[in-house]
Each structure stands twice: as C-alpha cells, then as structure tokens.
Amino acid sequence: MALTMFSDCSSSTTARLLPLNRTGSGFLHLRGSSATLLHLNPRNPRSLGVISTQRCQSSYSPTVAMTTETSAKVIDGKAVAKQIRDEITSEISRMRDAIGKVPGLAVILVGDRKDSATYVRNKKKACEAVGITSYEVRLPEDSTEQELLKYIAEFNANPSVHGILIQLPLPRHMDEENILNAVRIEKDVDGFHPLNIGRLAMRGREPLFVPCTPKGCIELLHRYGISIKGKRAVVIGRSNIVGMPAALLLQREDATISIIHSSTENREEITRQADIIISAAGQANMVRGSWIKPGAVIIDVGINPVDDPNSPRGYRLVGDVCYDEACKIASAITPVPGGVGPMTIAMLLSNTLSSAKRALNFE
C-alpha cells in the first residue's frame, strides 16, 4: 500500500534568528507565531540550549508581546551548522599553521540540472568559507562512464584531494553503483561506499565516514542534549542515503528502531509509539499531529515544494511533518527550511576535515 499524500497545512512563515544582545550569546528564533529564546554558551561551542519557548501575539517588533502558551522547542539547524563551520575553520587554521596543508574536496557534476548546479555552487562556497581547497569538474550530460571514471581515478591519486563527491543524480545511461564504488573508501566523504555502510551496520566496526544527512540528524540531537539511549525511535523512509543509515546510527546509540516504509501496515500507530521520529519520506505533511506521541522529538528531513500563490516563486518548502500540528504536541522539532538542510553541508565539511587529518597524520 502506497504512502498517502495529505493536503498542505504548514505555516508559510520562514524561521528567523534575531540577536537579543551585542555579545551574540542570545537569539530570538521566530517562526510564524512561535518565538524561541536560544542561548549560545560562548565557553562551550557545542552547547545550544533553549531558555524558553513561547507563543507570540504579533510579529517581531522592538517589544515582543508574549503569552504563557508554550509550543515545541525549535531545533535550529542553521545555528548549529554555523557553530560546526566555526569549529572546522579553527581546526583548518591550526592545521595550516602547523603543517602548511589544508583539506581538499573534489566535486564532479555531470549534466546541467539546475538544482545540482546550485548544490555544487553552495558546497564550493562553504569550502572556501572554512578554508578547504575546492576542486570542481563539470562534464556534459552525454559524457561516458569512462570519462567520469578517468576523473575519479585522477582525484583518487591526488594527495591534495582528501574527499571526492559525485553529485547525484547521474544521467540515466551511467551506472551509479559502479561510479560510487570507484571512489577510494579513504576519500568517500559522502559515506556511500558499500564498505563504509557495511562497517556502519556491524557492531564493533567503525566506518571511515557516515552519510552526511543522517549524521547531521544525530548531531542535532546530541547538540541539543536529547537522550537517544533506550528510546523508541521511528525512521520514516528506507533510502540508502538517509533512512537506512539513520536507522543504523540510532541503533548504534542504543535506541530501539522501527522503520516505516510504503508497505508498512499501521504506520500511524507505530509512529505514535516513538520518542524520536526521523522522517525522510519525501511527502509533504504526511505525518500529522495524530501520529505523534506527546513530548516526542521530531527531526524532519523532508524538503517538499507545495503551491503557494503568495510566494514570489509560486511555491514554498515544507517538510514531511505537518509543522503547525506537530509543534503543539512534540517537545522539540526541526523547522523546514532551516533544520536538517544546513547540517548536510556542515557534515560534508566535517568528513573532509577528518579525512585530511587521517591522511596527514594530524591530531
């Protein structure tokens, strides 16, 4: 039985962070009618705490009127990703000063898909911002597999390149499995190599790299101090890129896992038992408030366009979870956009730094 598509019910308001003082240690996070006061501890960059979460009676002004009604804590991926990028920048600066070398990331793009080109451009800008050297190859849509494999081989042999990323999807005439397997496991910063996934699945083995999006999901839980051990967790979706590795990561954290997919019966009932929900189904507003256990934590990976005549683009982005319903029931939730999305590139940079440290024997 196919997953059901539900009608749209998310807020069209984009989340915002507004400074509350000149030190930058406090921010007011606004989303729709919700406001969350975030506190960043300057002595502990891994600490991102929420002081309070309240409902706003009006939009932001110099004085924000508050009521006593509470809603879910907003897990702000944008703020956490910035913390991580700052940490990476500091480490790369230390590496440059100590040994005169920096990490290098190679990205290969085949074809002219606008979304893929945008992703590659964003990754390149992120690399430059933290001090990672970026290498880029763009091949035409009709390139052969052998042409692509030639570039992969060159980057595999280049000691200045510590990570190789093949932008997906590839053109249909190319064998994705064959291409991804050609990347040396030591440079598989996307974490898609079968040996990395195999090590992730086995107890007592450590992968060299973990896929970036699920790694970002777990990092958000860690940085918000959300306990995973012993909790019941549901992962919605079983893709090789997000769902499956997310479930493996949760299992490594000693959670009890259920995976919901297109053939799952009683998926609403199963999901309602979860203390933690990671949704990566790719269906707008599929998870409604009735699916959610009171106090559950929700990590929404979905990025789905829905029609919106009030938007200049004619559409807006929403998650798999109906935010307006979920935020009244969950204890914490990621917004869309601004939740998991920023974490993916941050984890790619983190994996590239780890690869360079390993290759250069830098502690």
Side-chain angles (χ1 to χ4, degrees), residues 21-318:
N21 54 45
R22 293 183 180 180
T23 66
S25 61
F27 295 88
L28 184 68
H29 183 283
L30 296 180
R31 182 179 178 93
S33 60
S34 297
T36 302
L37 180 61
L38 299 178
H39 173 68
L40 299 176
N41 185 346
R43 295 185 178 180
N44 180 8
R46 292 181 63 88
S47 173
L48 177 59
V50 174
I51 305 302
S52 64
T53 304
Q54 295 180 306
R55 303 288 290 180
C56 287
Q57 293 177 328
S58 62
S59 59
Y60 176 74
S61 62
T63 301
V64 182
M66 295 289 185
T67 72
T68 57
E69 184 184 353
T70 60
S71 60
K73 178 190 305 181
V74 177
I75 300 176
D76 196 312
K78 190 174 181 180
V80 175
K82 183 183 183 305
Q83 288 182 359
I84 293 169
R85 292 195 306 272
D86 289 345
E87 294 163 11
I88 292 170
T89 301
S90 177
E91 276 296 282
I92 292 175
S93 178
R94 187 172 69 88
M95 177 184 289
R96 184 189 298 109
D97 293 342
I99 62 176
K101 296 181 182 296
V102 298
L105 175 66
V107 180
I108 302 176
L109 173 63
V110 184
D112 55 1
R113 285 177 57 116
K114 289 184 178 180
D115 56 347
S116 292
T118 299
Y119 295 147
V120 169
R121 184 167 59 253
N122 290 341
K123 289 166 186 173
K124 183 177 181 179
K125 291 167 77 173
C127 284
E128 292 172 350
V130 300
I132 293 175
T133 301
S134 179
Y135 303 81
E136 183 179 328
V137 170
R138 293 185 178 230
L139 298 175
E141 181 82 17
D142 59 357
S143 298
T144 66
E145 269 194 40
Q146 289 306 311
E147 289 176 299
L148 175 52
L149 289 170
K150 177 177 73 72
Y151 281 105
I152 293 174
E154 290 177 359
F155 286 134
N156 277 336
N158 187 341
S160 296
V161 174
H162 306 100
I164 302 172
L165 185 149
I166 314 299
Q167 184 63 45
L168 301 178
L170 291 167
R172 291 185 178 181
H173 66 275
M174 291 187 174
D175 185 333
E176 181 178 298
E177 181 179 354
N178 186 43
I179 297 299
L180 294 179
N181 287 353
V183 176
R184 283 180 54 189
I185 188 173
E186 295 86 359
K187 300 188 179 188
D188 172 41
V189 290
D190 252 342
F192 295 156
H193 194 287
L195 290 179
N196 271 322
I197 294 295
R199 289 176 178 177
L200 180 63
M202 298 177 69
R203 291 176 61 85
R205 308 290 178 88
E206 290 298 325
L208 295 181
F209 305 102
V210 172
C212 299
T213 299
K215 182 179 180 181
C217 294
I218 302 301
E219 188 70 14
L220 284 174
L221 294 173
H222 285 167
R223 297 214 176 203
Y224 270 82
I226 295 168
S227 175
I228 303 175
K229 185 175 182 178
K231 303 297 184 182
R232 296 182 65 94
V234 163
V235 176
I236 304 176
R238 52 178 173 175
S239 72
N240 290 336
I241 295 174
V242 182
M244 181 268 294
L248 293 175
L249 285 170
L250 287 165
Q251 186 168 279
R252 278 180 165 250
E253 298 272 348
D254 293 324
T256 301
I257 312 301
S258 297
I259 299 176
I260 304 295
H261 50 79
S262 57
S263 298
T264 302
E265 297 181 359
N266 302 320
R267 54 186 179 271
E268 180 177 341
E269 179 181 338
I270 295 170
T271 304
R272 198 182 299 117
Q273 298 174 21
D275 302 301
I276 298 170
I277 299 170
I278 296 181
S279 184
Q283 297 207 30
N285 299 304
M286 183 188 72
V287 179
R288 307 303 291 255
S290 62
W291 291 42
I292 299 166
K293 174 183 176 180
V297 174
I298 299 173
I299 306 294
D300 191 349
V301 182
I303 303 178
N304 311 291
V306 296
D307 292 337
D308 183 358
N310 296 320
S311 170
R313 297 176 295 181
Y315 70 92
R316 56 191 167 87
L317 299 176
V318 302

